[in-house]
Amino acid sequence: MLLLAVCAVLVRPIEIARADVTLRERARTHFIAIPEVTPEERHAPQATLGRALFWDPRLSSSGDTACASCHLIEDHGSDRRARSTTARGGRTGFHSMTVFNTQTAGAGLRWLADRPSGKAQALGSITGSMGFDQREDILASLIEHGYRSRFAAAFPDADEPLAVDHYGEALEAYQRTLRTPAPFDAWLTGDDAAMTQTQKSGLRRFMDVGCAGCHNGELLGGQSLQKFGLMADYWAHTGSDEPHHGVMEVSGRDADRDVFRVASLRNVAETAPYFHDASVPTLAQAVRVMSRVQLGRDPDDGATGEIVSFLTSLTGEVPPHFAPPKAFIGGHKP
């Protein structure tokens, strides 16, 4: 009997290790690990310029609103408010998505995927959240606050370094460095101990029920546009006060009704509330809503808990350079 007990103790770790290998092989058909950010990327002239631009509230029509005003450190680059405040004192149209791990979203940025790149997003925000009437209006503010030399250093081959396009390119370069490798990435690349058994069970369930059909790739999302509410009207389950009909409200095409960009699930456990209208406060509830309206399933508490546990493995650390520079140029300190 003692020999059988010893054998059982030895066999169990072997079985777990084999299950890990099988699960990892399957996961690699759906997901890609996020690479660490290198010092060279972080300290590149365009990225360091972009960092200063991102955090400087002087570069807005009101002089008190920065890109960072909608993307907060304590919210993992998102905003816990349902809507962010713009430089004109209004509210953004949608709940602000995180800026972490955004620049490889192949479908485009924002909930309607209407900005194809980080540069396009930055340029659009000049007359959006930053409150200027024309994009070129930001140039006077950049000159006033001493950015000419920084642009010259970041774009040394340009005939005119201080340009609106370069403003967008610098902000994109900075945001490309805001990657957050997580325990899931360590596990996906071979570290069996990086995830708990409950998280691994949640990953298996996540793939089994079909979540990975849309939430896949490096970002576990961000690569496609999909109808929100394939099996039921989403607002009947989210409690949305004023349902937004997605891309249709821009295109006018009925085929685009309730179509939104699939959100990335990176850091999703830290970026509540959820969905484009911030209508759902908890991750467990968001999992139940998605299961019901997208897959026609009603998971019990155990299944929901396992998936939520897996999603926590996608939480990486806030990048240390996601913070204001020690001092802005011109002597202004944040």
Side-chain angles (χ1 to χ4, degrees), residues 20-325:
D20 268 356
V21 169
T22 301
L23 182 62
R24 184 179 291 113
E25 288 175 349
R26 182 183 175 195
R28 285 174 175 170
T29 67
H30 295 288
F31 313 113
I32 302 170
I34 283 184
E36 295 278 355
V37 178
T38 66
E40 290 76 16
E41 289 177 284
R42 280 183 54 186
H43 300 301
Q46 290 185 17
T48 57
L49 170 59
R51 180 182 178 184
L53 299 174
F54 188 92
W55 292 94
D56 195 339
R58 301 170 300 172
L59 307 179
S60 63
S61 64
S62 61
D64 62 5
T65 301
C67 302
S69 299
C70 300
H71 304 283
L72 310 177
I73 297 172
E74 58 269 28
D75 296 334
H76 259 67
S78 181
D79 189 344
R80 70 187 63 186
R81 296 170 296 180
R83 302 288 188 276
S84 303
T85 303
T86 72
R88 295 182 186 273
R91 299 289 180 180
T92 54
F94 296 104
H95 178 234
S96 293
M97 289 178 157
T98 179
V99 291
F100 295 172
N101 313 298
T102 58
Q103 302 303 298
T104 56
L109 302 183
R110 307 206 312 170
W111 287 102
L112 303 185
D114 55 345
R115 305 271 170 84
S117 66
K119 174 183 175 180
Q121 164 62 12
L123 295 180
S125 291
I126 295 174
T127 54
S129 297
M130 308 307 285
F132 289 105
D133 293 328
Q134 303 291 331
R135 291 181 180 181
E136 290 72 20
D137 292 347
I138 200 171
L139 296 177
S141 185
L142 290 167
I143 293 169
E144 176 187 355
H145 297 297
Y147 275 93
R148 187 179 290 280
S149 61
R150 290 287 295 271
F151 273 80
F155 299 95
D157 298 327
D159 293 334
E160 178 48 76
L162 187 69
V164 172
D165 274 0
H166 294 159
Y167 169 87
E169 289 168 20
L171 279 165
E172 178 176 322
Y174 172 56
Q175 290 175 82
R176 284 190 178 278
T177 71
L178 301 178
R179 300 196 297 270
T180 60
F184 175 67
D185 300 286
W187 177 84
L188 196 63
T189 54
D191 182 356
D192 291 342
M195 289 172 64
T196 68
Q197 289 304 316
T198 303
Q199 288 172 332
K200 293 170 191 175
S201 296
L203 167 60
R204 184 177 294 106
R205 192 180 293 274
F206 185 88
M207 293 187 289
D208 285 347
V209 301
C211 303
C214 293
H215 293 285
N216 51 46
E218 187 177 69
L219 306 183
L220 287 85
Q223 306 305 321
S224 64
L225 284 76
Q226 299 290 341
K227 178 181 173 66
F228 186 18
L230 289 172
M231 308 300 292
D233 291 335
Y234 75 81
W235 54 89
H237 296 269
T238 62
S240 302
D241 293 332
E242 297 181 13
H244 189 286
H245 291 296
V247 176
M248 186 194 77
E249 297 195 15
V250 176
S251 71
R253 298 173 62 243
D254 192 65
D256 293 330
R257 183 183 297 273
D258 303 329
V259 169
F260 296 86
R261 195 200 78 170
V262 175
S264 165
L265 297 183
R266 292 283 178 177
N267 299 296
V268 68
E270 301 296 327
T271 56
Y274 299 104
F275 304 129
H276 63 280
D277 54 5
S279 55
V280 171
T282 70
L283 186 54
Q285 185 181 347
V287 168
R288 292 189 183 97
V289 168
M290 290 297 291
S291 296
R292 183 69 190 89
V293 306
Q294 298 304 105
L295 302 172
R297 295 172 177 267
D298 292 302
D300 60 22
D301 289 347
T304 299
E306 285 186 347
I307 292 177
V308 168
S309 182
F310 160 61
L311 294 175
T312 65
S313 77
L314 302 175
T315 301
E317 294 184 5
V318 173
H321 59 298
F322 188 66

